Amino acid sequence: MTQASGTLPPHAIPPYAVQDDDLALLTDLYQLTMLQAYWGEGMRERATFSLFFRRLPETRRFMLACGQQHAAELATRLRFRDAHLAALAETGLFDDAFLEWLGDWRFTGDIWTLPEGTPVFENEPFMEVDAPIVEAQLLESLVMNLVQLETVIASKAVRVVLAAEGRPVMDFGLRRMHGVDAAVRGVRAYRTAGLAGTSNVLGGLRHDLPLSGTMAHSYVLAHDDEEAAFRAFARRYPGTTLLVDTHDTPEGVRKVIALMDAEPGLRVGAVRLDSGDLGALAREARALLDDAGNPEVKIVASSGLDEWQIAALREGGAPIDGFGVGTEMGVSSDAPVIDLSYKLVEYAGTPRLKHSPGKVNLPCRKQLYRRHDAEGRFVGDVIALRDEPGIEGEALLRPLVRGGRLAAEEMALAGEARERVADALGRLPEALRRLDPGPGDYPVTLSPALQRLREQG
Amino acid sequence: MTQASGTLPPHAIPPYAVQDDDLALLTDLYQLTMLQAYWGEGMRERATFSLFFRRLPETRRFMLACGQQHAAELATRLRFRDAHLAALAETGLFDDAFLEWLGDWRFTGDIWTLPEGTPVFENEPFMEVDAPIVEAQLLESLVMNLVQLETVIASKAVRVVLAAEGRPVMDFGLRRMHGVDAAVRGVRAYRTAGLAGTSNVLGGLRHDLPLSGTMAHSYVLAHDDEEAAFRAFARRYPGTTLLVDTHDTPEGVRKVIALMDAEPGLRVGAVRLDSGDLGALAREARALLDDAGNPEVKIVASSGLDEWQIAALREGGAPIDGFGVGTEMGVSSDAPVIDLSYKLVEYAGTPRLKHSPGKVNLPCRKQLYRRHDAEGRFVGDVIALRDEPGIEGEALLRPLVRGGRLAAEEMALAGEARERVADALGRLPEALRRLDPGPGDYPVTLSPALQRLREQG
């Protein structure tokens, strides 16, 4: 194994999180050693790398391709700084001439991407990078890391949204997600997937999802009694949500009712249930509130919820008006990874293919076509060669970066991801919108030319 | 539900990752609304919050407490910037006077922490924060996010290290981890857990773990044939590792041998197996290499490995000299979360306790004592009140922050986490170092005073 070490220059205050300026260096060592080898061997021909996954997780019927357009945008502004080059020099693995070249490294190629939020299936390209191999190779590790996160999170979240059947779902996952980047970019994925709000202030402000919040048990406990806590918070935040399970849920609801009776001007928007049998407690709370003449006070629930539990609560008719979802959605606990690959499929104009028994490997530059029926419903996809004529359907891969420059009008479409997903959900076969696996696979076929190439390969 | 939105001021170039300057704003909305409520109610008394988990994941025998000292250090430098205050003002939830106060917010309290890498068990405090409630409350979301990541990753990784029984384990997980912060701080957790190296350049440079790398299939495929790729890479990087499974593993090994025969000066350090039956292929590769007089060429394996597969390979006697581990370790796929709680346990000198049927809630400021036998082995822990006299054992919680100031000499000890873990593994009961659950729980008891308080509560 090539082993090496080096040091970054000391900071007056060491950075805690990863700063944008350092992202070029967030790569696997072998990308840099391979780059130097290509460079030294004079291998400057254009390559195409294709980003796709081979297999859906067992508990997914489709994935939402997310993060690829943002990753492509970032690729156009990756730069190696002097501090990076100094640290790489110290490893002893790299020549001065190569490091000088790396200091001038810019991405000058093309990147084709699916629009943010496109539903995708096995073997379908999310992104294809056409560039000199010394540029396309370098993007691998970072692009995979970035796309993996948003795709995994959005694809879990959309199931939660579907299970809630129109009831608002709020992200409460900041504390459980894997680090600060996951928590913040996760909110972008949640926005795409259709969540109604987030408790995450930085995430919501940065990625344009409404902020949402209630109160914590600690607030109740810091007061002398629950009534005092409810009164102070509801006076301060008219229409807020009060957390009623600190001691006993029905008792908490009764205190909210007593408070509203005692102060008729006080508005309480909702009560939140955060423990126990949520279905039974919601029914009891609803009855108490209705009997007291407060049908306008809503009930929101949280406490380890996932799409299955929400579906069960909905099926059981629990009168819950909104769901706060954290842990299970925040790490996509049933499917925390997708087996993304970033494969060399063409070099110097020649198809390239790894021999992988039992695996589908598709050579050459490609395009993905989605076919619709007369009502606009998706009826099947065709993976074809990029320039193959005569393939029906909507061509989904679009050139977002050309010659290292971002097409601003294409990038602007990334902002419409939420609307795209909402629209696409209505066009997906109904079977795919169910949580359970079952009959109704989505047909993905290979074009005639790609089929021929595979058989030759 | 309190709902609100606002906008951060536009950036010339929007930041991609989370910058350190923005971390104060990485909190749940309710922390800020509760802060304003406390502030408005004149609630400035000191509170103590305790960070712990209630239940070990099924597949863990212990956790390594990681990230709490770094999070405490960060707490001393959190600041709200003008841009944050402007965005919060726009939500309409906050008064100008409160925002002015927030602009001056500093952490002035004390933080007691376990040293980085301490093995911990159910209900044991990782950290206790003693501060005015308006300071201690605010830390909750960010501290939990930060500690959760490093604790989850290190606690998975240490199992992989144990399974490898002294063979080096390398982190190959950058592409699968949840975002850029997880990938980089994950390397700090890997260092603590005892990994030998990482492929992650920024992570390794920043957190002082040797960089490690081989080559990718794309490098082989970009060349006209495998021999050409091996020759070019081995000439460029003497002693490197060659990836031999692009077409056929035994055939790849034969090509490496032929290359070494043809160029006697060429040094190949190892071959890497990345697919197929790793045990059988390793034996075949070892035999081929030994028969050809190359016993010094090592064999490293990767491909979806976790602690169970490594243990099976070790038990099967597979001649593998090192392991590259990515996906499963990178997201801790069998236990991607730990149910950390950050609970108010004392306010204004009074114990506070949420009523949670079936759950252990421990009021008041605490200390954790670990008892050793004559050989220094850990024989049991006692959770006690912070100032309770007469408890035997080593007091593990240490005051890292006093009056808002970091104790530099304590913080320096965080750098010794790797050595601390290596030492602690030898002191843990042997049963806990096994991968499988089984007899041999570690005894954690409550001190007499804490027991009495619980019974009264």
Side-chain angles (χ1 to χ4, degrees), chain B residues 43 101 147 227 406:
Chain B
M43 291 174 67
W101 173 84
V147 173
E227 289 89 341
L406 195 69

Side-chain angles (χ1 to χ4, degrees), chain A residues 1 28 41 199 219 223 241, chain B residues 1 28 41 199 219 223 241:
Chain A
M1 193 117 356
D28 289 303
E41 294 170 59
S199 65
Y219 184 81
H223 286 77
T241 298
Chain B
M1 192 122 349
D28 289 303
E41 295 169 59
S199 66
Y219 184 81
H223 286 77
T241 298

Side-chain angles (χ1 to χ4, degrees), chain A residues 66-67 70 146-154 185 188-189, chain B residues 16:
Chain A
C66 290
H70 302 289
L146 298 173
V147 173
Q148 145 93 16
L149 172 71
E150 290 193 46
T151 295
V152 162
I153 297 296
R185 277 197 302 124
R188 183 158 69 196
Chain B
Y16 196 94

Side-chain angles (χ1 to χ4, degrees), chain A residues 73 137 317 325 371 420:
Chain A
E73 187 271 333
Q137 179 78 61
V325 185
R371 291 179 300 130
R420 186 173 301 115

Side-chain angles (χ1 to χ4, degrees), chain A residues 94-142:
Chain A
F94 303 102
D95 295 341
D96 290 348
F98 171 73
L99 292 174
E100 192 176 324
W101 173 86
L102 199 63
D104 293 329
W105 189 95
R106 301 286 183 273
F107 183 77
T108 67
D110 303 338
I111 307 181
W112 293 64
T113 59
L114 296 182
E116 293 286 325
T118 303
V120 282
F121 302 91
E122 296 175 355
N123 301 306
E124 297 187 343
F126 285 45
M127 171 190 269
E128 292 206 330
V129 179
D130 307 326
I133 195 164
V134 286
E135 297 175 19
Q137 179 78 61
L138 182 68
L139 301 187
E140 178 177 28
S141 310
L142 184 60

Side-chain angles (χ1 to χ4, degrees), chain A residues 119-367:
Chain A
V120 282
F121 302 91
E122 296 175 355
N123 301 306
E124 297 187 343
F126 285 45
M127 171 190 269
E128 292 206 330
V129 179
D130 307 326
I133 195 164
V134 286
E135 297 175 19
Q137 179 78 61
L138 182 68
L139 301 187
E140 178 177 28
S141 310
L142 184 60
V143 161
M144 288 177 76
N145 174 282
L146 298 173
V147 173
Q148 145 93 16
L149 172 71
E150 290 193 46
T151 295
V152 162
I153 297 296
S155 302
K156 175 70 170 181
V158 74
R159 291 168 58 82
V160 177
V161 169
L162 286 168
E165 297 178 312
R167 298 289 195 280
V169 177
M170 268 71 66
D171 157 38
F172 285 179
L174 160 57
R175 63 191 62 191
R176 303 293 189 206
M177 296 174 84
H178 280 196
V180 304
D181 181 44
V184 174
R185 277 197 302 124
V187 174
R188 183 158 69 196
Y190 287 146
R191 184 182 195 286
T192 298
L195 260 69
T198 178
S199 65
N200 178 332
V201 177
L202 181 60
L205 292 175
R206 192 180 275 188
H207 296 303
D208 192 24
L209 192 63
L211 303 181
S212 174
T214 66
M215 68 199 303
H217 297 117
S218 54
Y219 184 81
V220 174
L221 292 170
H223 286 77
D224 291 333
D225 54 56
E226 210 171 14
E227 288 90 341
F230 289 170
R231 188 182 312 114
F233 210 70
R235 284 179 180 169
R236 188 69 194 74
Y237 302 108
T240 195
T241 298
L242 298 175
L243 177 63
V244 291
D245 76 324
T246 303
H247 301 297
D248 174 88
T249 298
E251 211 40 57
V253 175
R254 286 190 195 95
K255 287 176 192 166
V256 172
I257 292 169
L259 177 65
M260 291 187 292
D261 287 346
E263 296 195 34
L266 209 67
R267 287 195 303 111
V268 174
V271 295
R272 172 157 77 106
L273 320 179
D274 189 46
S275 55
D277 177 341
L278 296 174
L281 290 169
R283 270 185 291 275
E284 189 170 354
R286 183 75 275 154
L288 289 167
L289 289 163
D290 289 352
D291 291 350
N294 301 110
E296 78 292 354
V297 176
K298 292 186 154 60
I299 297 173
V300 299
S302 52
S303 177
L305 292 174
D306 64 12
E307 68 268 42
W308 302 102
Q309 291 180 54
I310 290 174
L313 288 166
R314 296 282 308 144
E315 280 159 27
I320 296 174
D321 302 292
F323 300 94
V325 185
T327 307
E328 304 300 323
M329 186 170 72
V331 298
S332 183
S333 57
D334 60 328
V337 282
I338 176 93
D339 69 333
L340 277 179
S341 293
Y342 181 88
K343 289 290 176 201
L344 179 70
V345 293
E346 192 171 315
Y347 180 64
T350 315
R352 306 282 160 151
L353 206 57
K354 179 179 179 300
H355 172 72
S356 307
K359 290 183 184 173
V360 177
N361 278 311
L362 302 174
C364 299
R365 299 173 181 208
K366 288 178 289 295
Q367 178 55 279

